Amino acid sequence: MAGDQRHRAQLAADMKRLEKQLRRLCQDRLRSADAKRLRVLDLACGECFEAEMLQRVLRQLAEENHGREQSLDVEFVGADIREREISRAAERCGAGRQGVDYRFLVKDGQKLSQDADLEEDFDVVFVRHQNYYLGGKEWHELFEQSLDKLAPEGKLVITSYFDHEHELAKGAIEKVGGDLIEDIANREARALATKGKHVDKRLAMFRRRE
Ligand SMILES: C[S@@+](CC[C@H](N)C(=O)[O-])C[C@H]1O[C@@H](n2cnc3c(N)ncnc32)[C@H](O)[C@@H]1O
């Protein structure tokens, strides 16, 4: 298989594994505050390869949990501080179709509360491969802002590359006002070249402490 093709196949397999773990973690736990729309913020999303899978899975889980026949629409916002990644995500996903609206925004996750663009409450804030090792203080702020952006029954979901980094992020989230709901290990996660680093190795879900 050529390099490019192999890379695409790996990404697709990573996505299937992430989907399986999200179903495990989020089943029976998601509700949309609005009767018609599920609002998802994918923060620090980079190129946001998970956008399509994430909106589809979260929408299904929320619909099942509501026990409704009618479908929910999804308002999906992907945000990252890097412009290049956001324009690639926007190019790949487009504006959305079949009940999903995508918006990709260049945002500093430490300054969301100052942002008129992101006023709405989100049912899910998702942070994939948080980077606590690269700046703990910055991530404390980003997690605090993520919790602030949640609707009253909203959930913050994170994934991590490393066990230890995951523990640090969990501690940080609890410190800034999150309550851990569940923490799971992805035993099928793909190992990367760096020792101990795996794609979506750990996942955790939090609610905002009242
Ligand atoms: C390890 S990467 C993960 C990217 C993507 N979620 C993924 O799983 O491939 C961490 C991401 O955090 C973003 N980031 C770092 N600081 C940020 C901030 N203050 N606001 C928004 N995004 C930030 C980086 O630009 C980068 O895309």
Side-chain angles (χ1 to χ4, degrees), residues 42-50 79-83 85 105-112 126-131 134 138-139 142 159 161 165 197 199-200:
D42 190 336
L43 186 57
C45 67
E47 291 193 37
C48 211
F49 292 109
E50 67 277 11
D80 197 283
I81 203 162
R82 292 184 297 171
E83 271 185 55
E85 275 65 19
L105 307 171
V106 179
K107 295 282 171 208
D108 182 347
Q110 297 183 83
K111 297 184 181 155
L112 298 182
F126 181 67
V127 184
R128 185 177 185 214
H129 296 137
Q130 55 76 26
N131 236 184
L134 279 191
E138 179 182 342
W139 284 90
L142 195 141
T159 88
Y161 281 126
E165 190 175 41
K197 185 175 186 181
V199 178
D200 301 306

Side-chain angles (χ1 to χ4, degrees), residues 138-166:
E138 179 182 342
W139 284 90
H140 276 248
E141 191 63 42
L142 195 141
F143 292 140
E144 188 166 16
Q145 303 263 319
S146 304
L147 291 167
D148 279 354
K149 284 287 159 200
L150 291 176
E153 290 192 63
K155 306 293 186 305
L156 169 62
V157 175
I158 66 163
T159 88
S160 309
Y161 281 126
F162 296 95
D163 286 324
H164 181 241
E165 190 175 41
H166 189 70

Side-chain angles (χ1 to χ4, degrees), residues 1-15 49:
M1 213 188 290
D4 248 19
Q5 245 181 316
R6 188 176 313 117
H7 183 59
R8 273 202 298 275
Q10 278 177 337
L11 288 182
D14 292 339
M15 225 35 81
F49 292 109

